[in-house]
Amino acid sequence: MIASKLPLYITIFLFGLVLQAQEVRTIAKEEVISRVKENNQKLKISEQEFFEARADYRQTNAVFLPNIKLSHTGFTTNNPLMAFGSKLNQEIISQSDFNPDLLNNPDRIENFATKIAVEQPLINMDGIYQRKAARSKMEASEFRTQRTEEYMMLEVEKSYMQLQLAHKAVAVLEKAKEATLANKKLANDRLKQGYLQRSDVLIVEVRVTEVDNQLQYAKSNVKNASDYLSFLMNEPQGVILMPLDSLQLESLPEASSRKVLAERADIKAMEMATEVRKKMHQADQMAFLPRLNAFGSYELYDDELFTGDANGYLVGMALSWDILQGTKRFGKADKSKAEYEKAKLEYEQYVSKSQLELNKAKRALTDAENKLRLTSLAIEQSKESLRILTNRFKQGLEKTTDLLMAETQYSEKELEYFQTVYEYNYALAYLDFLSAG
């Protein structure tokens, strides 16, 4: 019989070793914030999106800066026109080259040309407004990056408080477990003395099992909260994090004076997105105007590779005007106007919805404050009731079920109180997030 139980003992021993081997690390909220700002993947993705928008804006420098191209080409030909033109470029035309037989049937000729060409935009109105649109897009991306960081800081606040709440729950349930074990010992002693029946002891044992299960669930919540914080910090998971400070009430703000600020990063991003649509519509309108560009080139010619005994240049200006491209241009302008009007409506809707969320957050904070007062009174009442019933039970004046009910109610009220503290603190943090500017 002893041999059959040995594997179970070994299993329990090994499981205990695994639990002891799991790393527990104390961490402060300031450290979490610092690591999230430095390592969080979502923040890095948002930063790369800004760099992408900035690169798009830098591409629009082509509206003002010249386009310079260097090329070297070579060919051989006996085409009459190409042969005569190549000799002309090489400055080797002689009187004999005007012989009709040679003009019609020239010998093969090699031609090598080195050319540097410059194109300089002068007046390109649609390009200028496209550049303005790209700049507004870059600014919108910058504001979105800022708002993403603000959101991640709210997520850190929430997750850190969840970790605090999870550890509080473990502490409350461990204390409840101690109380139930003490009640179990007392019940067993009274059973031996003949003051209790076996059914009363079984009720106590059921309560011990219930607390054990609740405690196990609370410890799982600690692991879940720790893993999520590790994920936010982009660090290896599986480490149990212990908050340096305990869950406690934050100071009460003046919630009624909070309002949505036009300078809030996400609202500014929406405003800039509307500006992008406006500038793109203006660019489509400016596409109806002519464009003025300057161009020039300097060329070197020879019949040998990478030489240039002959040279020439070309300088000029080009005024181009696409008068009509069917109805394509009109349709494009109409589309960009509709997109601009849509963006304005989306901006107004977003601001209105933000005010709605702020009003809702104010009411949630008020509700949490009222609930906090109620749970504070309830925990004091249940604590006093448990104290009285415990003393009376020890004297044999109370039933086991009444004692267990009081002990259960006290644990529940403690957990409810800390849950309310969490809800209140999060409502405060969310209110700050919505009214940040």
Side-chain angles (χ1 to χ4, degrees):
M1 183 174 180
I2 295 177
S4 63
K5 291 184 178 181
L6 187 59
L8 177 62
Y9 296 151
I10 294 176
T11 302
I12 295 174
F13 175 73
L14 293 177
F15 183 68
L17 289 179
V18 171
L19 291 179
Q20 293 177 2
Q22 189 161 19
E23 182 182 353
V24 178
R25 181 160 64 94
T26 303
I27 194 166
K29 183 168 69 175
E30 292 75 15
E31 181 183 353
V32 176
I33 292 174
S34 176
R35 291 179 182 273
V36 167
K37 286 183 177 181
E38 182 179 355
N39 301 320
N40 182 261
Q41 297 285 45
K42 189 177 183 67
L43 290 179
K44 290 181 179 181
I45 291 172
S46 179
E47 186 181 25
Q48 293 304 316
E49 289 174 348
F50 167 71
F51 291 154
E52 181 181 351
R54 187 178 65 180
D56 287 339
Y57 172 65
R58 287 177 175 175
Q59 289 183 51
T60 62
N61 290 337
V63 175
F64 304 110
L65 299 180
N67 181 23
I68 302 175
K69 182 178 180 180
L70 178 64
S71 64
H72 183 80
T73 59
F75 62 84
T76 180
T77 181
N78 65 352
N79 179 278
L81 181 61
M82 295 294 293
F84 185 81
S86 298
K87 283 188 174 183
L88 195 61
N89 284 332
Q90 294 175 16
E91 301 178 1
I92 57 174
I93 290 291
S94 64
Q95 186 66 36
S96 61
D97 289 315
F98 291 94
N99 184 334
D101 292 335
L102 290 178
L103 286 174
N104 292 323
N105 298 287
D107 296 332
R108 190 188 67 174
I109 186 172
E110 285 78 23
N111 185 69
F112 297 93
T114 301
K115 179 179 179 180
I116 180 169
V118 179
E119 297 177 354
Q120 175 64 56
L122 297 179
I123 300 177
N124 190 345
M125 296 305 298
D126 58 334
I128 291 174
Y129 278 92
Q130 287 172 358
R131 174 178 171 83
K132 291 180 179 180
R135 180 176 180 84
S136 296
K137 180 181 177 182
M138 179 184 70
E139 292 173 353
S141 179
E142 185 175 12
F143 283 120
R144 281 194 294 269
T145 299
Q146 179 183 337
R147 191 58 174 174
T148 299
E149 181 173 331
E150 292 172 355
Y151 171 76
M152 291 308 303
M153 293 305 100
L154 173 67
E155 193 69 10
V156 167
E157 289 279 353
K158 178 182 177 181
S159 303
Y160 191 79
M161 287 189 293
Q162 287 177 338
L163 182 66
Q164 291 175 320
L165 178 62
H167 278 285
K168 277 289 186 183
V170 169
V172 169
L173 291 169
E174 284 180 342
K175 185 171 64 174
K177 183 177 180 179
E178 291 178 4
T180 55
L181 290 176
N183 291 335
K184 180 181 177 182
K185 182 178 183 304
L186 183 60
N188 284 325
D189 291 342
R190 298 192 65 187
L191 175 65
K192 294 177 182 178
Q193 296 169 4
Y195 296 119
L196 286 180
Q197 297 180 358
R198 179 59 184 168
S199 59
D200 293 323
V201 177
L202 290 176
I203 292 174
V204 177
E205 290 177 350
V206 169
R207 174 57 185 163
V208 172
T209 303
E210 289 177 349
V211 173
D212 276 336
N213 290 337
Q214 292 174 349
L215 183 58
Q216 182 59 44
Y217 181 75
K219 289 180 178 180
S220 295
N221 284 339
V222 168
K223 294 177 182 178
N224 293 337
S226 298
D227 284 348
Y228 187 63
L229 268 183
S230 298
F231 165 75
L232 292 179
M233 294 184 291
N234 195 27
E235 294 183 352
Q237 300 174 25
V239 177
I240 294 180
L241 299 177
M242 178 72 68
L244 190 62
D245 46 343
S246 180
L247 183 66
Q248 57 187 357
L249 282 173
E250 301 291 341
S251 59
L252 179 66
E254 185 60 37
S256 59
S257 63
R258 300 297 183 95
K259 61 181 181 179
V260 175
L261 300 177
E263 298 302 313
R264 206 175 77 183
D266 57 330
I267 294 179
K268 290 293 293 182
M270 288 292 293
E271 182 183 350
M272 289 295 101
T274 304
E275 191 67 16
V276 170
R277 295 302 182 185
K278 179 181 178 181
K279 293 294 188 273
M280 290 303 296
H281 175 54
Q282 290 174 329
D284 289 339
Q285 290 178 317
M286 293 299 166
F288 288 94
L289 299 178
R291 300 179 181 181
L292 181 62
N293 298 304
F295 60 89
S297 64
Y298 181 74
E299 304 165 358
L300 298 173
Y301 296 98
D302 208 299
D303 59 355
E304 295 182 4
L305 187 65
F306 297 117
T307 56
D309 290 338
N311 61 76
Y313 67 86
L314 175 68
V315 177
M317 298 179 68
L319 180 66
S320 60
W321 192 358
D322 291 335
I323 298 176
L324 183 63
Q325 293 182 341
T327 60
K328 178 181 177 181
R329 187 177 297 167
F330 295 99
K332 187 176 181 181
D334 289 342
K335 179 182 178 181
S336 61
K337 181 180 180 181
E339 289 175 341
Y340 171 48
E341 295 298 331
K342 176 185 173 183
K344 288 196 297 183
L345 293 172
E346 288 175 341
Y347 171 75
E348 294 170 1
Q349 182 188 47
Y350 191 83
V351 173
S352 178
K353 186 178 180 181
S354 297
Q355 185 62 55
L356 176 67
E357 289 293 326
L358 182 63
N359 294 338
K360 184 178 178 181
K362 289 179 182 179
R363 289 188 286 269
L365 183 62
T366 301
D367 293 342
E369 184 183 4
N370 294 334
K371 186 178 178 182
L372 195 60
R373 295 193 187 100
L374 178 62
T375 53
S376 297
L377 293 174
I379 196 173
E380 289 298 325
Q381 185 274 330
S382 60
K383 182 178 181 180
E384 180 63 17
S385 177
L386 177 61
R387 185 188 67 81
I388 294 172
L389 285 172
T390 300
N391 291 336
R392 290 176 61 83
F393 179 76
K394 290 179 180 179
Q395 297 170 12
L397 301 177
E398 290 293 343
K399 297 179 181 179
T400 305
T401 54
D402 292 337
L403 174 65
L404 293 178
M405 185 178 297
E407 189 272 328
T408 301
Q409 185 178 36
Y410 177 60
S411 297
E412 290 175 349
K413 293 302 178 183
E414 270 196 299
L415 293 174
E416 184 180 358
Y417 172 75
F418 289 119
Q419 176 67 31
T420 305
V421 171
Y422 162 77
E423 292 173 0
Y424 173 83
N425 288 347
Y426 178 71
L428 174 58
Y430 188 55
L431 185 64
D432 287 338
F433 173 73
L434 293 177
S435 57

